[in-house]
Amino acid sequence: MFRSPQDVHKKVLGKTGEKAAAEYLKKRGCIILKTNYKTPFGEADIIAQDVSRGEIAFVEVKTRTGDNYGTPAEAVGAKKRERYRKIAAYYWTQTGVEPNARFDVAEVLADGTIEYIEYAF
């Protein structure tokens, strides 16, 4: 399958952002449980345990080179939010435990700046 240079750039940018967000969460004392967790409903970028709060965070990572098209969090629309709710329910059925969950968004800019939004939706 042929990928354009732009597609490759987006893929690399996204993976870089996901790694940066995971490191950010670790520094805040979270335990990364899963990355790129695939389900029949879609993929969660990061699932992390926030030990201090007793919560599981389902994290959508949005990485951008700028905000010309709005903030990265603005790209998380209703369909993506619903998909994450289904992913969380699927995760619960797989683990057998319904955790105290929250849905967060990590906005990562190419310069390394991270804006982390807890309880984003």
Side-chain angles (χ1 to χ4, degrees):
M1 179 176 167
F2 175 75
R3 291 188 183 194
S4 72
Q6 185 178 13
D7 288 343
V8 172
H9 173 72
K10 285 180 181 180
K11 192 79 156 169
V12 170
L13 185 66
K15 290 296 177 193
T16 301
E18 289 172 6
K19 286 180 183 178
E23 287 303 314
Y24 175 86
L25 287 164
K26 287 178 191 176
K27 287 179 183 174
R28 292 183 53 197
C30 293
I31 298 168
I32 305 301
L33 301 173
K34 302 279 184 186
T35 58
N36 305 113
Y37 180 67
K38 292 175 180 45
T39 76
F41 308 104
E43 181 179 302
D45 293 326
I46 299 172
I47 301 174
Q49 183 177 5
D50 186 337
V51 179
S52 66
R53 294 186 180 169
E55 296 173 330
I56 301 293
F58 291 83
V59 184
E60 171 68 7
V61 180
K62 287 294 185 186
T63 308
R64 299 285 189 270
T65 56
D67 60 2
N68 295 344
Y69 301 102
T71 67
E74 290 173 336
V76 182
K79 285 184 181 181
K80 178 68 82 171
R81 293 190 300 268
E82 181 60 27
R83 189 173 305 138
Y84 259 80
R85 288 182 187 96
K86 289 178 180 179
I87 290 168
Y90 183 84
Y91 179 80
W92 297 332
T93 63
Q94 297 303 300
T95 61
V97 178
E98 185 173 337
N100 186 15
R102 69 175 196 243
F103 301 94
D104 300 350
V105 173
E107 298 179 325
V108 183
L109 296 179
D111 68 1
T113 305
I114 297 176
E115 182 70 32
Y116 194 84
I117 306 164
E118 293 181 349
Y119 309 101
F121 57 93

